[in-house]
Amino acid sequence: MLFNSYTFLFVFLPLCLAGFWLASRSAGRAARGWLVFMSIVFYVWWEPVYLLLLAASIAMNYTGARVLARARAASPARSGPVLAALVVANLLLLGYFKYLDFGISIVNLVAGTAMPLHHLVLPLAISFYTLLQIAFLCDIHDGKVVDLDLGNYLLFVTFFPHMIAGPIIHHSEMMPQFRALAGRRPPAAIVARGTYLFSIGLFKKVCLADTLARASDAGFARADTLDITGGWLTALAYTLQLYFDFSGYSDMAIGLAMMFGIVFPLNFDSPYRACDIRDFWRRWHMTLSRFLRDYVYVTLGGNREGALRTYRNLFLTFVVGGIWHGAGWPFVIWGAMHGAALCVHRAWSERGLRLPAPLGWLATFLFVMLALVMFRSPTVDVAVAVYRAMLDVGSFDAGALGAWRIDAAGSPVLGWLNLADRPGLGGGGWPFVAACLALCVFGRNSNTLARNFEPTLARGLACVLLFGLSVVAIETESRFIYFQF
Amino acid sequence: MPDHSNIPRGAATRRFFGVIVAGLFAVLALGASVVAVDPYLHYDSPRIEGFNRWKTRFFYGQYDSKARLVHAVRPRHLVIGSSTAAGSLRPDHPLFNGEPAFNYALAGSTPHLQGMALAHALEGGTVRSVIIGVDLFSYNAFMDQRAFRQFELAVEQGGGWRGHWRRWRRELETSIAEALGYEAVADALGTVRDQGRPGAGGIYRDIRADGYWQNPRPAGMAQLPLFTTIERQYLSGGWFPEPERRYALDDGRGRSTPDELGAMLERASAAGVDVTIAIMPFHARFAEAMHEAGLWDDFDELKRRIVALAAEPRFARSGLRVWDFSGYHALSMDAVKGATRDTPWFEDSIHPTEATGDRLLLRMRGGAAAEGRGPADFGRLLDAAHLDAGLAAAVAQRAQYQAQHPADVEQVRLIARQTAAWREGARGAPAD
């Protein structure tokens, strides 16, 4: 089920909230049980068969967690092989569904064989729940886990606001909150803040990201025919689309969790304001960055084994991050680009060099945008075609920017704005993209808005307006980009 | 992690939620209003004169509407095709003998989609005969079918319990979307506004529960602009997929529209359904436009491929007949003079009227009773023996039309020149 679907907004969510509010009156585990039940409904809504896989994964990991905890209690040294076996089992499961075809294609390429691809459908959320559980197992091994309650574990893995695309939560943040669910209703003030954040997220996804998607999808679909203006605007539109899509999703997830009295970690903090690439990763998909730091970079040795190994670890961490996003060369290259950029930044910083902030911002933003062209492209060839268009100075036409338009057919937002018919705005495409860029760079982000939230009449009206506009503007068949990972 | 301690409690929060609840009620009230208007015949809401009697904005929701309505009708006779059949072949024609019939023709559809519609209708198990309307535009192998993804989902079949689950899930989502979605809200408002405006809704004013597009247009409505608009769209390439705007029966990458027709015939044959193919009529002005666009040879080729298909032994038992109503005959050569509606046979260059559709049905289904009740040159059975003679005759008939209607021919050529100049410039829309 999608957060931006009518079924979610008008059937699932009201039912889930009503049931939770009734169940949370009881002192027992009814509220938690209700949330687990509804989270499973949320998950199977898409494809019931995947529930078997999810159940198997949870059963394996929970049983493994108990065995691991016992082994560690007996002797910390003995828990190492158990952990290794469990991590390998998780990676095999993920690898089978996500990376089998990629592996076969590499073998075919290298060995000149023609093994057929399997074209397996990627089970929903498998990357996220596998990651979550691997981290949980690692922390048991390190003695950082105290709560092995089955109910809490089930909710930890399946809680619907985070399950499909994060934020990637940590058990130490969640378990105490799940334990506190019994016998209390969340304060209305927190629910109000969650409602506010959810409305902002819904608006970002439906009204901004889905409108930008029209431009970027069209551009990438005909990458071979783009001129320099089309190339740059396509890349920029996708850069903004991804931000509004994923940060909108995160706002909705965080807002939804608040409606149940649960607080999630932040996932975005105006990443397009970053003035260097390290700062960017502190602001972009923050919970993934945290996971990669704690469970990949540190595991590889972090910065404890000399400068060269630090660079190697940094680079490999981001290659792993790229591969986690998807099985394909564009993701590997995207991860490698970021890994390399972080290495360059580290070397640069260690020499005490620093760019002036505006220049640093420009360099960072341009790099992120260029890397996202690779991230978005289905094949490396498509990315190369877009890069070629972006460098094709000979195709420059002074009138092209004004004539560039986003296909407005059936688009409520573009229909309302009617930019194409406003004098001085040309085709209306670039002003929309420019406004979105300005919003990213200069606007107050949703964290700030939520932090300063007060339940005033004006904010209530803002919620209604954002929600109402978004509900009418929902386009069916619009998925969140991060669902595919 | 945000700190919640700074949020004021009490009255302020209550006011905040008061606004939220009021807003939610406003959204629900909007949805209820759209359900009452029911612009796409989704909710079976009553039709009220002056409020929602005419579903003038049915077009956007027609695919879903027809997919939903077909099984309610449980048709014995079916019409498949594109817009040229949707508004001309009426299911309540007497020659259907009062048996339930349904017009499942879909605007802008390709034979692939029409095949899906046929399969969906056959699923009900009641269909005994089908008329497949064929026109050149629909048989472009470059037509982008992804735009019709919603229809594919609407008519998805099989899949066991998972298939049922997917259909139920989709029906729930669609039911809410058609009450609150942008298009639905806009079309509901438009529907109410159009009730008092004669001629609103373009050339089709309503969709009936039997899938037929109705057009009770007021007399005296100017007709020539409808013709020139269609011709301009066609010649400017507006109907062909961007960016190349190409036309071909085979796209060179494995897609062949005649093969898709073959698959449709095979499906019908397997179900024991009687099939009649009708190559739909268009006005002679449009024939000129097709010549100007260089597509007449493709049209001849399409007919050859259809005749070859029909002659295949696998269809020998299905009673397959191919009728050709295209080209030059008394109806298509009827003059279009301009100021007011003056040919009763076409709504515009390519869409036959109900009167033409009635004659077409009479010709195909009327048997001996049809003799002498329509122009003798309207419609002929097409088979391998008569195909080439028919194609050759069209050359002579065209010369005759050009001699009789030089002004019409010159107007179409002028449009062709204008649109060619626009295509070369590729800026803005061609002026009407």
Side-chain angles (χ1 to χ4, degrees):
Chain A
M1 201 179 298
L2 298 165
F3 293 164
N4 60 324
S5 68
Y6 291 110
T7 310
F8 178 83
L9 295 172
F10 291 97
V11 181
F12 180 87
L13 185 58
L15 198 65
C16 192
L17 280 170
F20 178 75
W21 275 66
L22 287 176
S24 61
R25 292 181 70 154
S26 87
R29 294 172 170 182
R32 195 182 61 186
W34 174 253
L35 285 182
V36 169
F37 172 72
M38 290 306 281
S39 296
I40 288 170
V41 170
F42 178 86
Y43 186 73
V44 301
W45 193 258
W46 200 292
E47 176 55 76
V49 169
Y50 295 156
L51 180 61
L52 296 176
L53 195 66
L54 174 66
S57 172
I58 290 175
M60 176 186 80
N61 283 297
Y62 183 71
T63 311
R66 295 197 80 91
V67 172
L68 190 62
R70 271 202 298 275
R72 191 184 186 282
S75 154
R78 278 172 55 194
S79 66
V82 181
L83 174 69
L86 287 167
V87 170
V88 166
N90 272 299
L91 292 180
L92 280 177
L93 188 73
L94 182 63
Y96 177 72
F97 283 103
K98 194 162 178 173
Y99 302 109
L100 182 63
D101 278 355
F102 186 45
I104 292 174
S105 65
I106 291 172
V107 171
N108 284 343
L109 187 72
V110 173
T113 53
M115 285 189 283
L117 302 181
H118 294 257
H119 301 294
L120 295 172
V121 176
L122 185 67
L124 198 62
I126 190 169
S127 302
F128 283 91
Y129 67 68
T130 304
L131 217 61
L132 208 68
Q133 295 184 103
I134 288 177
F136 186 74
L137 295 169
C138 289
D139 286 350
I140 292 178
H141 174 258
D142 292 343
K144 295 178 189 167
V145 174
V146 287
D147 188 345
L148 276 175
D149 179 88
L150 177 61
N152 284 347
Y153 185 76
L154 280 175
L155 191 54
F156 169 62
V157 179
T158 63
F159 189 37
F160 74 87
H162 80 80
M163 190 191 189
I164 309 296
I168 301 167
I169 55 177
H170 196 265
H171 61 89
S172 63
E173 299 159 337
M174 292 297 116
M175 296 307 196
Q177 298 191 67
F178 292 153
R179 275 197 298 275
L181 278 176
R184 73 168 182 102
R185 278 180 175 163
I190 296 176
V191 179
R193 177 176 270 171
T195 308
Y196 184 59
L197 203 48
F198 181 81
S199 305
I200 294 172
L202 186 64
F203 181 82
K204 280 160 83 172
K205 163 64 185 163
V206 171
C207 293
L208 303 183
D210 285 355
T211 306
L212 289 162
R214 292 167 166 266
S216 63
D217 288 353
F220 278 97
R222 49 190 184 86
D224 286 336
T225 61
L226 289 173
D227 59 9
I228 187 167
T229 310
W232 280 95
L233 285 170
T234 297
L236 181 57
Y238 181 67
T239 304
L240 298 169
Q241 179 205 345
L242 184 64
Y243 169 70
F244 284 118
D245 189 282
F246 194 22
S247 74
Y249 174 86
S250 295
D251 290 344
M252 280 190 266
I254 295 169
L256 282 166
M258 279 186 196
M259 291 182 200
F260 300 97
I262 303 288
V263 179
F264 279 171
L266 299 181
N267 219 14
F268 286 88
D269 186 18
S270 297
Y272 293 157
R273 284 185 203 160
C275 290
D276 62 58
I277 195 68
R278 190 167 171 220
D279 187 27
F280 172 80
W281 278 103
R282 282 200 202 104
R283 296 161 172 265
W284 176 273
H285 204 173
M286 293 147 79
T287 55
L288 176 68
S289 304
R290 181 178 69 174
F291 178 90
L292 291 175
R293 183 195 64 207
D294 294 349
Y295 297 96
V296 182
Y297 179 68
V298 171
T299 306
L300 287 170
N303 57 3
R304 299 186 303 269
E305 296 166 357
L308 266 180
R309 288 202 171 194
T310 302
Y311 284 115
R312 183 205 65 180
N313 295 342
L314 200 53
F315 182 76
L316 285 180
T317 300
F318 277 87
V319 172
V320 169
I323 293 172
W324 175 81
H325 278 88
W329 289 112
F331 292 113
V332 177
I333 296 171
W334 174 79
M337 285 169 86
H338 273 278
L342 278 153
C343 290
V344 169
H345 174 261
R346 189 179 178 90
W348 177 273
S349 304
E350 280 177 351
R351 280 157 186 75
L353 300 170
R354 203 175 158 77
L355 282 176
L359 207 57
W361 174 83
L362 188 65
T364 307
F365 186 78
L366 285 177
F367 171 76
V368 168
M369 184 167 78
L370 291 172
L372 282 177
V373 168
M374 184 57 72
F375 185 86
R376 165 65 175 79
S377 299
T379 62
V380 176
D381 290 346
V382 173
V384 169
V386 178
Y387 290 141
R388 196 174 290 140
M390 294 171 84
L391 296 172
D392 185 9
V393 181
S395 69
F396 180 73
D397 172 2
L401 181 66
W404 191 76
R405 54 178 63 227
I406 304 175
D407 177 18
S411 164
V413 176
L414 293 175
W416 290 327
L417 293 174
N418 201 18
L419 293 173
D421 291 341
R422 295 188 196 279
L425 295 186
W430 71 265
F432 185 79
V433 174
C436 289
L437 177 61
L439 197 60
C440 287
V441 179
F442 302 113
R444 274 193 290 175
N445 68 28
S446 39
N447 305 332
T448 313
L449 291 170
R451 199 166 41 241
N452 300 331
F453 173 77
E454 285 178 16
T456 58
L457 208 62
R459 287 210 166 78
L461 286 170
C463 263
V464 168
L465 190 67
L466 293 176
F467 181 79
L469 286 176
S470 306
V471 161
V472 173
I474 286 174
E475 294 180 49
T476 46
E477 290 292 293
S478 157
R479 287 191 185 192
F480 290 101
I481 293 173
Y482 261 68
F483 273 32
Q484 61 192 290
F485 306 134
Chain B
M1 218 172 279
D3 173 17
H4 302 296
S5 59
N6 62 338
I7 305 176
R9 275 29 178 196
T13 307
R14 278 198 295 277
R15 265 201 307 277
F16 176 84
F17 279 111
V19 175
I20 298 288
V21 170
L24 279 177
F25 271 109
V27 170
L28 293 176
L30 176 70
S33 309
V34 175
V35 169
V37 177
D38 195 9
Y40 309 137
L41 284 187
H42 190 112
Y43 307 99
D44 292 329
S45 304
R47 289 183 188 240
I48 300 167
E49 200 64 50
F51 176 62
N52 67 345
R53 165 69 184 82
W54 304 105
K55 309 290 183 188
T56 52
R57 307 292 176 109
F58 72 87
F59 208 79
Y60 173 79
Q62 57 164 320
Y63 276 55
D64 261 331
S65 301
K66 290 199 174 188
R68 209 167 31 247
L69 292 167
V70 66
H71 288 311
V73 170
R74 297 180 58 78
R76 195 171 170 80
H77 309 285
L78 196 69
V79 173
I80 295 282
S82 71
S83 58
T84 57
S88 62
L89 303 180
R90 60 185 172 111
D92 59 348
H93 193 282
L95 285 171
F96 287 123
N97 306 319
E99 293 171 335
F102 189 81
N103 188 315
Y104 209 161
L106 301 161
S109 60
T110 62
H112 170 70
L113 282 160
Q114 292 164 15
M116 292 173 69
L118 175 66
H120 183 233
L122 292 178
E123 197 185 12
T126 56
V127 177
R128 290 291 164 263
S129 82
V130 60
I131 296 170
I132 300 173
V134 170
D135 56 65
L136 184 68
F137 169 68
S138 303
Y139 279 68
N140 185 359
F142 290 109
M143 280 254 279
D144 183 3
Q145 306 195 80
R146 285 171 303 175
F148 304 105
R149 172 81 183 128
Q150 290 295 312
F151 181 69
E152 288 184 34
L153 294 171
V155 301
E156 184 192 16
Q157 297 162 74
W161 66 270
R162 286 164 72 190
H164 282 294
W165 171 258
R166 279 196 297 273
R167 285 190 283 278
W168 180 82
R169 194 182 64 184
R170 186 183 179 281
E171 181 58 32
L172 178 63
E173 181 71 12
T174 311
S175 293
I176 309 174
E178 291 198 0
L180 285 171
Y182 168 67
E183 299 283 358
V185 171
D187 285 339
L189 279 171
T191 301
V192 175
R193 236 184 358 240
D194 286 348
Q195 297 303 303
R197 293 162 54 190
I203 62 170
Y204 298 106
R205 188 161 165 75
D206 198 15
I207 184 171
R208 298 192 319 210
D210 59 9
Y212 184 60
W213 297 357
Q214 258 189 317
N215 182 27
R217 284 196 308 145
M221 191 170 178
Q223 193 178 30
L224 186 59
L226 300 174
F227 278 69
T228 55
T229 299
I230 290 283
E231 289 149 10
R232 207 175 292 279
Q233 286 174 356
Y234 189 76
L235 286 166
S236 65
W239 291 359
F240 305 111
E242 289 181 320
E244 296 92 347
R245 301 195 186 281
R246 284 178 293 176
Y247 186 98
L249 301 177
D250 307 279
D251 70 355
R253 290 177 304 212
R255 184 169 176 224
S256 157
T257 51
D259 286 354
E260 290 171 4
L261 175 65
M264 212 183 329
L265 298 177
E266 210 159 60
R267 183 169 281 137
S269 183
V273 171
D274 238 21
V275 180
T276 308
I277 293 174
I279 299 173
M280 297 299 288
F282 45 80
H283 195 271
R285 282 178 62 108
F286 195 71
E288 285 304 310
M290 286 165 69
H291 279 287
E292 291 294 331
L295 292 177
W296 192 260
D297 290 343
D298 291 283
F299 192 46
D300 284 351
E301 176 61 15
L302 175 61
K303 289 181 186 175
R304 283 198 185 91
R305 301 272 291 267
I306 291 174
V307 167
L309 256 179
E312 288 185 20
R314 58 185 166 147
F315 306 124
R317 283 185 304 157
S318 65
L320 176 60
R321 284 149 297 159
V322 182
W323 283 88
D324 185 7
F325 296 96
S326 67
Y328 300 89
H329 44 71
L331 306 192
S332 68
M333 291 199 284
D334 195 26
V336 187
K337 292 199 185 77
T340 57
R341 182 175 188 170
D342 52 8
T343 171
W345 308 117
F346 292 91
E347 304 288 358
D348 56 31
S349 293
I350 56 163
H351 293 105
T353 58
E354 185 171 297
T356 302
D358 280 359
R359 274 155 188 77
L360 190 149
L361 288 171
L362 186 69
R363 193 87 171 93
M364 292 193 302
R365 299 180 64 91
E371 294 303 321
R373 289 177 59 191
D377 60 348
F378 182 57
R380 60 183 189 282
L381 270 169
L382 215 55
D383 56 28
H386 302 98
L387 177 68
D388 286 326
L391 298 183
V395 177
Q397 288 161 341
R398 183 187 178 205
Q400 187 191 342
Y401 175 74
Q402 287 175 331
Q404 287 172 359
H405 302 273
D408 279 342
V409 172
E410 185 44 44
Q411 190 175 34
V412 173
R413 287 180 179 168
L414 177 65
I415 293 171
R417 285 196 296 275
Q418 287 171 342
T419 50
W422 168 79
R423 277 204 307 274
E424 280 163 25
R427 285 280 186 276
D432 207 12

